[in-house]
Amino acid sequence: MLEQLKDLHAQALEELSKVDNPQELEAWRIRYLGKKSSLIRILRSVGSLPLDERQSIGAKANEVKRALESSLEEKGRSLQEALLTSHRESQRLDVTLPGRPLPIGRLHPTTQTLNEICDVFKNMGFQVIEGPDVEWDYYNFEALNIPQHHPARDMFATLWIDAGMGGKARLLRTHTSPMQIRLMEKERPPIRAIVPGRVYRYEATDATHESMFYQVEGLAVDKNITMADLKGTLFEFCRCIFGEDRKVRFRCDYFPFVEPGVEVAIECSACAGAGCRLCGYSGWIEILGAGMVHPDVLARVDIDPRIYSGFAFGMGVERIPMLRYGIDDIRLFYSNDLRFLRQF
Ligand code: FA5
């Protein structure tokens, strides 16, 4: 039996050396140290052996058991360490690797232009205010000298929200000019303000016309304001935005709420004034309408036109980056094409 115990010990160690994971180790433990293992059975039978064998066999069996238990423990530890090392290797971080680039957002070209326009006018002492997109007929038309059935309503193809009489119908504002009235109702001269905002027109779109676009309204009311102030302000604005060299054209135009009225156009950047599809082969792109505030409009908001005068203008915002960067279609601004937007 002593031989058997020696062989058992040798065989167990031999098998243990081949074990390389915790599952195999547990199977090994059951096989050599489990309740039904040969070694435990020998230990249990020691009591029934003849007295002379009992001591030597019992001592040897216990010695083998202790040896196997300590080999098991040692193997367990080394397996655990190997596991940890391989885990650490797989989780290793190379802190010197370059980071993944984060996609950085940017402001829409219209927003960038609006910010620039506002900065130019703020530097000239204008305050910036905003107004509602949904407007009353009264503010969008009637108070601006455009009563019901006035032919000038045809200038603004309107998106109506509901029907109503006497200026009570609601609409999506067709221009930012209604804010002239709201401003003058609230404030007394001197007034110097600009109003950036969205406007809406029920019209077919083309390279220079959108049905939703941005305008910036300007209004200055005080004593002794003249056409020269209007011209000086707008020329300074064009100089700041387009530079000294770009040609600016002032021409007479008609808007019911100003007298006289003018239109300002900039030399087309796509064709340098030679004429192309973008400028309708005229060489010029109109960017704003303007004029001296009509005395009837001033009187309607209780500002005495014999004492005060004012100028107003309303410019199309998208046409400015179009002129600057030679963008040949306004519809690119709101088509959400990232290839276009990422260029700004
Ligand atoms: C007006 O909207 C007047 N309220 C401007 C005004 C204000 C005149 C104060 C006098 C005093 P108009 O419809 O021309 O005017 O539009 C003004 C500017 O908006 C145009 O010069 C043009 O640059 C731009 N614009 C007009 N229609 C469109 C459109 N469909 N798409 C893009 N821009 C447009």
Side-chain angles (χ1 to χ4, degrees):
M1 200 170 270
L2 277 176
E3 276 307 303
Q4 193 190 343
L5 280 168
K6 261 193 218 155
D7 290 348
L8 192 100
H9 190 186
Q11 189 190 342
L13 290 183
E14 156 94 27
E15 276 188 30
L16 187 63
S17 68
K18 291 180 192 146
V19 164
D20 68 357
N21 64 57
Q23 291 78 18
E24 281 178 21
L25 187 64
E26 177 59 8
W28 181 91
R29 187 193 65 77
I30 293 166
R31 201 155 53 246
Y32 290 102
L33 290 165
K35 282 181 199 151
K36 294 180 185 159
S37 63
S38 318
L39 178 63
I40 301 300
R41 258 191 266 129
I42 291 172
L43 271 169
R44 277 206 208 103
S45 67
V46 164
S48 57
L49 291 174
L51 199 61
D52 56 334
E53 283 183 15
R54 197 182 295 171
Q55 224 171 17
S56 59
I57 300 287
K60 183 67 185 170
N62 272 316
E63 184 195 313
V64 171
K65 183 169 176 264
R66 277 195 300 277
L68 289 186
E69 279 170 348
S70 91
S71 299
L72 171 74
E73 204 174 300
E74 202 177 305
K75 186 76 182 183
R77 257 200 310 274
S78 77
L79 277 182
Q80 189 68 25
E81 240 160 62
L83 215 68
L84 264 173
T85 314
S86 87
H87 184 69
R88 257 190 238 119
E89 281 299 315
S90 70
Q91 298 288 306
R92 201 145 112 195
L93 279 181
D94 182 353
V95 290
T96 62
L97 279 177
R100 290 196 190 97
L102 287 175
I104 297 172
R106 62 194 77 198
L107 295 177
H108 191 279
T110 306
T111 310
Q112 292 183 29
T113 312
L114 278 167
N115 290 347
E116 254 185 89
I117 296 172
C118 290
D119 285 346
V120 170
F121 284 107
K122 276 194 263 182
N123 287 340
M124 289 194 241
F126 285 71
Q127 59 169 321
V128 182
I129 54 158
E130 286 184 23
D133 287 22
V134 175
E135 198 42 287
W136 298 107
D137 180 318
Y138 176 75
Y139 288 107
N140 198 82
F141 290 128
E142 289 201 357
L144 291 167
N145 284 346
I146 315 175
Q148 294 274 337
H149 310 302
H150 190 291
R153 288 203 176 204
D154 293 346
M155 290 164 71
F156 306 103
T158 309
L159 285 154
W160 294 94
I161 288 182
D162 53 28
M165 297 300 288
K168 290 264 172 60
R170 274 180 303 183
L171 47 80
L172 288 176
R173 66 178 173 190
T174 57
H175 51 173
T176 41
S177 298
M179 280 306 289
Q180 290 183 31
I181 307 298
R182 289 185 178 273
L183 251 165
M184 290 189 287
E185 275 181 350
K186 251 178 66 189
E187 287 180 32
R188 298 290 88 186
I191 296 169
R192 236 183 296 168
I194 58 162
V195 186
R198 264 187 293 256
V199 301
Y200 307 83
R201 294 197 188 170
Y202 183 51
E203 59 184 42
T205 61
D206 62 26
T208 48
H209 293 85
E210 254 295 1
S211 46
M212 193 282 302
F213 57 101
Y214 276 82
Q215 283 191 342
V216 172
E217 193 77 10
L219 176 72
V221 184
D222 203 351
K223 288 176 184 157
N224 302 319
I225 297 246
T226 68
M227 192 75 174
D229 296 309
L230 171 64
K231 252 183 123 171
T233 307
L234 292 180
F235 272 132
E236 174 62 9
F237 166 75
C238 292
R239 198 185 61 78
C240 291
I241 297 286
F242 298 107
E244 305 272 359
D245 302 331
R246 188 63 72 87
K247 284 190 193 137
V248 181
R249 186 183 74 182
F250 245 71
R251 280 210 312 199
C252 284
D253 202 351
Y254 168 72
F255 299 95
F257 37 97
V258 287
E259 183 56 38
V262 293
E263 167 224 278
V264 175
I266 307 283
E267 192 182 50
C268 177
S269 59
C271 60
C276 66
R277 188 178 74 93
L278 180 64
C279 58
Y281 302 96
S282 69
W284 299 93
I285 292 187
E286 179 203 318
I287 59 157
L288 62 88
M292 300 305 293
V293 181
H294 199 291
D296 289 353
V297 173
L298 291 176
R300 194 167 287 117
V301 287
D302 286 331
I303 293 178
D304 190 339
R306 288 165 305 182
I307 304 171
Y308 294 104
S309 56
F311 68 70
F313 57 83
M315 68 178 73
V317 174
E318 291 80 358
R319 292 197 181 170
I320 291 171
M322 287 177 81
L323 278 160
R324 271 173 142 187
Y325 307 121
I327 299 164
D328 62 3
D329 199 321
I330 194 172
R331 288 166 291 196
L332 284 167
F333 285 85
Y334 304 112
S335 57
N336 291 332
D337 186 339
L338 289 177
R339 289 170 305 177
F340 171 73
L341 296 172
R342 283 205 180 111
Q343 294 177 54
F344 300 93

